[in-house]
Amino acid sequence: MPVSKSAPESIGLMAKRETLTPRERVLKALNHEIPDRVPIDLGGNQSGIHRNAYRKLIAYLGIPDEITIMDPVQQLAAPCESVLERLRVDTRYVRAGAASSWRGAIVKTERNGRVWHDLVDEFGVRWSMPDDSPNYMDITLHPLANASLSDLRNYPWPKGDDPTRFKGLRERALQLKQNTPYAVVSGISGVVYETCWYLRGLEQWFCDLMTQPQFCEAMLDQTLKFWLDWFRLFLDEVGDVVDVIMIGDDIAGQNGPLFRPELYQRLVKPRHMRLVQYIRSRTPARIWYHTCGSCRDFIPDLIDNGIHILNPVQISARNMDPSDLKRAYGRELSFWGGGCDAQHILPCGTPDEVAANVRHNVRALMPGGGYVFNNVHNIQGEVPPENIIALFDTAWDCGFYSATE
């Protein structure tokens, strides 16, 4: 095993000098000003690390940690402070919980000759992971797959404004704000669109968009109500504390939009805009919107909705070249992610190939501020620890702004 992995791995890395606190750095970048270096992120629901990759990373670094799963569906580990410090991460996350009435334990069941780990979420969607391939959870029950419009009115929708969700939230957020130098970022929330197809099933939902838009609007109104209620209490608690609020729905795929942009503009956009404008009316925090895929056709609408940040910047998708995105939208949007080709280079390349790809993407996205570094989405389980170190060390090394920039 190589030595000195808990310290910078070259004299070149040690020669860099930071002049801002992590929080100052993040806020300056998001204000489209020039920080000392590009801020670095790890640990969110869309910028995290799979438990298998994390297990290999801490063994490689020689950092002891008892792995805690912070996102069971994606099987994401909660990185410990020693790892975050080693990777020079400028963000720390604070999350609300579930309602106390929700019984969210993972249950082992047997179906069709296989053992499954099942989790039923607050909306009644069942997520399952096979015991013989325990990598992720996928949906195995869409509770509204056969529902009618009247069934929606009678469905037991969860209460977004259940106060038990937010117990202790302000204390945890203030601890980060007052006792650490890091930017305070929320967990993912505001999932207005995707929750609908979780409940309905993706194929049926796409059919609904074309054949019964009034049904879709009724579902969207229910999920929007949940998140407006949720944010009313969340912002009461920490609207004056958090620096960045994460919301999002996947509305694009590898090659383009998942559905026609005019359908988005007619059915989804008014709900997204209402949510974003409500959040903006209650907090100065920057609003981070997540969608995977080739989302370029949607970017003008997302800007019009009022978001500040686009994540994850899937640079390997069609029409998502980072230089083109920066040139077209860099004055209106900050980009969060886009650090390395996560589909090909990060899991399969050499550390040198990872470093070269990181340098290319950082140099494309960093000019003028408006950029926070992270991998494109989560670090998947098969990524070697050497590549993870190359990912973050290169971002730090090449992310310093010159004194004259």
Side-chain angles (χ1 to χ4, degrees):
M1 181 182 292
V3 297
S4 303
K5 292 187 278 306
S6 61
E9 296 178 2
S10 74
I11 297 298
L13 292 180
M14 295 178 68
K16 308 292 183 178
R17 190 170 73 89
E18 298 178 353
T19 59
L20 300 173
T21 69
R23 186 179 303 131
E24 291 169 342
R25 181 175 300 121
V26 171
L27 294 179
K28 201 172 185 69
L30 296 181
N31 200 37
H32 295 271
E33 299 173 0
I34 304 296
D36 53 351
R37 65 164 172 83
V38 169
I40 294 173
D41 171 53
L42 175 70
N45 298 79
Q46 278 71 37
S47 61
I49 181 168
H50 191 276
R51 58 177 170 80
N52 291 344
Y54 186 70
R55 181 179 295 110
K56 290 179 286 187
L57 177 64
I58 58 176
Y60 181 81
L61 292 173
I63 295 175
D65 187 24
E66 184 174 338
I67 298 176
T68 300
I69 300 299
M70 67 90 170
D71 183 330
V73 169
Q74 300 182 99
Q75 289 292 289
L76 300 181
C80 71
E81 191 63 24
S82 295
V83 167
L84 295 174
E85 291 175 0
R86 166 61 186 87
L87 301 180
R88 307 176 185 86
V89 174
D90 295 292
T91 56
R92 297 295 185 270
Y93 283 81
V94 63
R95 298 172 175 86
S100 61
S101 59
W102 177 59
R103 299 292 178 258
I106 296 175
V107 178
K108 272 192 177 184
T109 58
E110 186 172 344
R111 292 188 301 277
N112 302 321
R114 297 180 80 183
V115 175
W116 297 85
H117 300 256
D118 289 343
L119 174 68
V120 178
D121 69 22
E122 288 192 77
F123 286 88
V125 177
R126 186 179 70 201
W127 301 81
S128 303
M129 180 171 63
D131 192 65
D132 55 4
S133 183
N135 294 313
Y136 310 97
M137 288 183 161
D138 291 304
I139 298 176
T140 55
L141 177 66
H142 305 281
L144 292 177
N146 301 308
S148 66
L149 194 57
S150 62
D151 292 329
L152 296 185
R153 290 190 285 270
N154 299 321
Y155 192 70
W157 299 95
K159 286 175 56 64
D161 56 356
D162 185 323
T164 61
R165 300 179 185 282
F166 309 100
K167 184 177 180 181
L169 176 65
R170 185 167 183 82
E171 291 75 15
R172 297 194 302 274
L174 283 174
Q175 193 280 326
L176 290 173
K177 192 78 167 188
Q178 296 174 352
N179 300 324
T180 82
Y182 302 107
V184 182
V185 187
S186 80
I188 190 64
S189 55
V191 187
V192 173
Y193 169 80
E194 274 193 77
T195 302
C196 294
W197 77 253
Y198 296 169
L199 288 159
R200 188 70 165 155
L202 186 59
E203 183 177 349
Q204 182 58 56
W205 175 254
F206 283 158
C207 292
D208 294 336
L209 287 172
M210 299 299 297
T211 62
Q212 47 178 347
Q214 74 282 359
F215 182 92
C216 296
E217 290 189 279
M219 287 194 74
L220 287 163
D221 284 341
Q222 288 287 353
T223 55
L224 174 62
K225 180 183 185 305
F226 173 88
W227 287 112
L228 286 171
D229 289 344
W230 188 95
F231 267 108
R232 177 165 48 81
L233 268 64
F234 177 84
L235 295 170
D236 284 347
E237 292 292 322
V238 295
D240 61 331
V241 181
V242 292
D243 298 304
V244 179
I245 290 175
M246 301 165 57
I247 65 171
D249 293 296
D250 284 334
I251 53 177
Q254 183 70 25
N255 295 309
L258 290 173
F259 53 98
R260 294 202 309 265
E262 55 265 35
L263 280 175
Y264 174 81
Q265 292 161 2
R266 180 158 53 90
L267 301 177
V268 182
K269 179 178 177 176
R271 279 88 181 173
H272 275 170
M273 180 178 284
R274 186 176 169 193
L275 179 65
V276 172
Q277 294 302 320
Y278 176 73
I279 297 170
R280 288 187 60 153
S281 74
R282 297 284 315 277
T283 177
R286 296 290 176 169
I287 301 174
W288 177 106
Y289 184 86
H290 168 88
T291 177
C292 293
S294 174
C295 65
R296 187 162 183 158
D297 290 346
F298 291 117
I299 289 178
D301 288 311
L302 298 177
I303 293 171
D304 189 47
N305 289 345
I307 69 161
H308 303 102
I309 304 161
L310 180 67
N311 165 274
V313 197
Q314 190 175 324
I315 55 174
S316 57
R318 185 186 66 84
N319 209 20
M320 292 292 286
D321 177 79
S323 296
D324 289 345
L325 290 173
K326 184 72 173 186
R327 187 162 44 247
Y329 302 109
R331 294 185 179 182
E332 299 170 282
L333 274 182
S334 293
F335 296 101
W336 190 305
C340 187
D341 180 345
Q343 292 173 285
H344 310 100
I345 294 176
L346 187 62
C348 303
T350 65
D352 286 345
E353 289 170 333
V354 170
N357 192 239
V358 168
R359 282 192 292 271
H360 171 79
N361 297 321
V362 169
R363 288 167 181 166
L365 292 166
M366 70 183 286
Y371 181 53
V372 177
F373 177 87
N374 182 254
N375 177 40
V376 174
H377 218 296
N378 301 316
I379 297 169
Q380 300 302 312
E382 69 273 21
V383 176
E386 296 89 345
N387 286 8
I388 298 173
I389 296 299
L391 178 78
F392 286 97
D393 277 358
T394 305
W396 189 86
D397 185 39
C398 73
F400 280 81
Y401 291 86
S402 69
T404 59
E405 188 166 356

